[in-house]
Amino acid sequence: MQNEYSIVITTAGSLDSAKAIARLLVEKKLAACVQLFPVESFYFWKNEICDDSEITLFIKSKTALFEEIKAVIKENHEYELPEIIQIPVANGFPEYFSWINDCTNR
């Protein structure tokens, strides 16, 4: 079970955009669950410091699906350079992992 599951994180510039990406990932059975969180982001971009409201997406899935998740995000994202990072899950509730398996079984 170690590192068989991951959380993929990305951000979107609007709630509508975040919801569209989340829905696609769940519909395509690439994610069991996507949680959306409003955040305030400070970052360096094109020689200036930016301060923007964004929506962070926590995408719960299998580690093996990362490349497909990344492709869907890139294809449907409004940013020139979207954040797409994968965090392996070291351990967790086995029944929750079974649910992820059921939801992402294609």
Side-chain angles (χ1 to χ4, degrees):
M1 172 171 56
Q2 187 153 0
N3 296 335
E4 186 176 340
Y5 304 94
S6 295
I7 296 173
V8 177
I9 299 174
T10 191
T11 55
S14 71
L15 183 57
D16 287 343
S17 177
K19 284 182 174 183
I21 291 169
R23 183 169 297 281
L24 270 172
L25 292 170
V26 173
E27 284 176 353
K28 292 178 177 282
K29 297 186 176 283
L30 293 173
C33 173
V34 181
Q35 295 173 311
L36 309 178
F37 301 93
V39 296
E40 189 74 15
S41 296
F42 290 82
Y43 55 95
F44 195 73
W45 182 248
K46 296 188 177 180
N47 282 341
E48 65 181 76
I49 296 175
C50 301
D51 170 8
D52 291 308
S53 294
E54 295 184 294
I55 305 296
T56 297
L57 292 79
F58 277 23
I59 303 158
K60 281 74 168 290
S61 189
K62 296 178 192 171
T63 299
L65 296 175
F66 176 73
E67 291 300 323
E68 290 177 77
I69 292 168
K70 181 175 72 174
V72 168
I73 293 170
K74 286 175 59 178
E75 186 176 305
N76 294 280
H77 210 287
E78 74 269 30
Y79 290 176
E80 181 181 336
L81 180 64
E83 168 190 19
I84 307 172
I85 59 174
Q86 181 181 48
I87 301 172
V89 174
N91 208 343
F93 186 46
E95 286 84 350
Y96 186 78
F97 294 141
S98 291
W99 174 73
I100 291 175
N101 284 334
D102 291 344
C103 294
T104 57
N105 189 11
R106 303 180 300 154

